[in-house]
Amino acid sequence: MTVHGSEARPQDSTGNGNGNGDGGVTTADQLPADLQDERLIASRGVSGAISAFTSRLRSGDLGSVPVVIGLIIIWAVFQIANGSFLSSRNLVNLTLQTTSIGVIALGIVLVLLLGEIDLSVGSVSGLAAAVLGVTFVNQGWPLVISLIIAVVLGLVIGLFYGALFTRFGVPSFVITLAGLLGFLGLQLLVLGKEGTLNFPFDSALVGFAARSFLSPALSYGLIAVVIVAYVLTRLRARGARLAAGLSAAPHSMIAIKAVALAAVLAIPAIVLNGDRGVSSMFLLFLALVVVTDFAIRRTRWGRSVVAVGGNVEGARRAGINVRMIYLSVFAACSTFAAVGGILAAARLVAVGQSSGGTDTNLNAIAAAVIGGTSLFGGRGSAYSALLGAFVIMSIQNGLALLSLDSSVRYVVTAGVLLIAVTIDSLSRRSRQAHGRA
């Protein structure tokens, strides 16, 4: 049986799962790769962490390294071409532009973890924004009610996809391609002859998306809370592992990681506070990334998603409710699409026939893949959506500053996407060769 994309070890004659027939003695080289890394870090501290990291790279487990390097190169090139690219004002704009695509990409990450695809996220986002606009602006419904209806619409669409996939076995590509066309038509029908609806500029929704920013003191205070929470969580986890007789990272590693996390959070905050500050909408996106990452890595549901994506038959034999996993993931994807569409419309203060159209699907799917989520299923992270969205929107933002035609943007984005998929394919082969697949 295969779970999480790796084969379970056969039982030897002694009943131990090492399969080496040597009386149950397991050598260090026979331990799973993750356990080898943990013991290396616990025994050698920082040098062990470096050794484990380089070992992962050599075996093809690249993680977010390629996208981080790519993002640095992209930012360096655009900064050289236009000195205002890394200015506080432009970076604030970049965070605002990234949020809606990033939220939609979160749902794509979940679907790709299953080895499936959703081609309709753009149409779903546009339809949700249209329903919000018609009910809130034209019908005069309370904003909260309109928001709930728009988000629930995304949830229902995802459940519909999941039911078609699990009950009738229709490929997700076909289901969501039909959804792309069908929900685009519904969007046009909902908007009617007007075609475009403007949100009241003084509404709470527009204020949140376009004008709400954290004060410097509040942003730094939140960073301090995050760092303290991280340290306490790691210390508690370390104590629990030691109490159970397991290896645990030394205090020095926790301190180094805490300092690194503080730098990663504080430096962008300082730059953004040089202009309007950290957007409340972008903070919501970050919160969704953290919650989704926790759900994927720390909950039974998330581990089941990864297991199904790695080997669906193995997951079924392990007792996982595969049907429910597919239903929940498709529902989550469409819900994220609806939320992303609402945020995009609120930032632009309008919803129209082009909302969710043009290159929304391209950007969301490309962001998830470029960020490091595997097209083969079973490997990915919520942070893939964050990093990938920054790559995609940095390209758009930088080319706009250079006043280059949109045709250049499509060509550059296609090249970056092709490179990302090639790296994913090559690293997958390397992981298989090194037993880390």
Side-chain angles (χ1 to χ4, degrees), residues 2-66:
T2 304
V3 180
H4 294 272
S6 57
E7 296 184 358
R9 297 181 183 277
Q11 295 287 329
D12 65 7
S13 59
T14 65
N16 297 310
N18 54 18
N20 55 13
D22 60 357
V25 178
T26 303
T27 65
D29 291 339
Q30 295 169 324
L31 292 173
D34 290 341
L35 187 55
Q36 292 183 40
D37 293 344
E38 288 179 4
R39 291 192 173 184
L40 193 61
I41 295 172
S43 62
R44 295 171 53 187
V46 177
S47 62
I50 295 174
S51 298
F53 178 71
T54 55
S55 176
R56 284 181 175 272
L57 292 182
R58 287 195 299 268
S59 66
D61 194 354
L62 303 179
S64 299
V65 173

Side-chain angles (χ1 to χ4, degrees), residues 1-369:
M1 179 182 67
T2 304
V3 180
H4 294 272
S6 57
E7 296 184 358
R9 297 181 183 277
Q11 295 287 329
D12 65 7
S13 59
T14 65
N16 297 310
N18 54 18
N20 55 13
D22 60 357
V25 178
T26 303
T27 65
D29 291 339
Q30 295 169 324
L31 292 173
D34 290 341
L35 187 55
Q36 292 183 40
D37 293 344
E38 288 179 4
R39 291 192 173 184
L40 193 61
I41 295 172
S43 62
R44 295 171 53 187
V46 177
S47 62
I50 295 174
S51 298
F53 178 71
T54 55
S55 176
R56 284 181 175 272
L57 292 182
R58 287 195 299 268
S59 66
D61 194 354
L62 303 179
S64 299
V65 173
V67 67
V68 171
I69 294 175
L71 189 59
I72 292 173
I73 294 174
I74 290 170
W75 283 12
V77 169
F78 283 130
Q79 177 64 17
I80 293 172
N82 189 315
S84 63
F85 179 79
L86 292 180
S87 66
S88 295
R89 183 170 187 80
N90 189 59
L91 289 180
V92 170
N93 291 334
L94 181 59
T95 60
L96 293 173
Q97 295 164 358
T98 299
T99 297
S100 58
I101 288 298
V103 171
I104 299 174
L106 274 175
I108 295 295
V109 167
L110 294 175
V111 171
L112 289 179
L113 281 174
L114 291 178
E116 303 298 334
I117 191 64
D118 189 338
L119 300 176
S120 69
V121 287
S123 296
V124 173
S125 68
L127 177 60
V131 169
L132 172 65
V134 169
T135 57
F136 176 54
V137 178
N138 284 359
Q139 304 297 325
W141 293 10
L143 176 59
V144 174
I145 300 300
S146 296
L147 285 171
I148 292 175
I149 290 175
V151 173
V152 170
L153 175 63
L155 174 65
V156 172
I157 290 173
L159 291 175
F160 174 67
Y161 286 163
L164 288 177
F165 181 84
T166 57
R167 184 165 295 276
F168 301 106
V170 183
S172 60
F173 180 92
V174 176
I175 297 173
T176 57
L177 179 60
L180 183 154
L181 300 173
F183 294 126
L184 175 58
L186 282 178
Q187 176 185 342
L188 301 179
L189 181 64
V190 169
L191 289 172
K193 296 180 180 180
E194 295 182 8
T196 300
L197 293 173
N198 296 319
F199 292 105
F201 193 74
D202 58 352
S203 65
L205 180 63
V206 174
F208 172 79
R211 303 192 307 272
S212 179
F213 296 88
L214 303 184
S215 66
L218 181 56
S219 62
Y220 298 140
L222 284 176
I223 291 173
V225 170
V226 170
I227 299 304
V228 171
Y230 172 80
V231 171
L232 292 178
T233 301
R234 300 310 303 167
L235 288 176
R236 187 171 74 170
R238 182 179 187 275
R241 290 183 63 84
L242 291 176
L246 301 174
S247 57
H251 288 104
S252 59
M253 281 299 303
I254 297 177
I256 292 174
K257 288 183 178 181
V259 171
L261 179 61
V264 168
L265 296 178
I267 293 176
I270 292 172
V271 175
L272 296 177
N273 285 328
D275 187 60
R276 286 157 288 176
V278 180
S279 165
S280 297
M281 184 173 69
F282 182 65
L283 183 64
L284 171 64
F285 172 41
L286 293 180
L288 290 176
V289 170
V290 172
V291 171
T292 305
D293 176 71
F294 178 85
I296 293 173
R297 296 192 302 111
R298 300 296 184 182
T299 66
R300 181 178 180 181
W301 174 83
R303 290 189 290 269
S304 297
V305 170
V306 176
V308 172
N311 187 303
V312 61
E313 184 58 33
R316 182 180 288 109
R317 294 183 181 182
I320 294 174
N321 189 338
V322 174
R323 181 173 181 271
M324 188 57 61
I325 292 299
Y326 280 116
L327 281 171
S328 62
V329 168
F330 279 113
C333 181
S334 292
T335 302
F336 276 126
V339 173
I342 292 170
L343 293 176
R347 184 178 70 86
L348 297 175
V349 202
V351 57
Q353 295 178 347
S354 62
S355 297
T358 59
D359 53 1
T360 301
N361 280 332
L362 162 69
N363 288 338
I365 296 173
V369 176

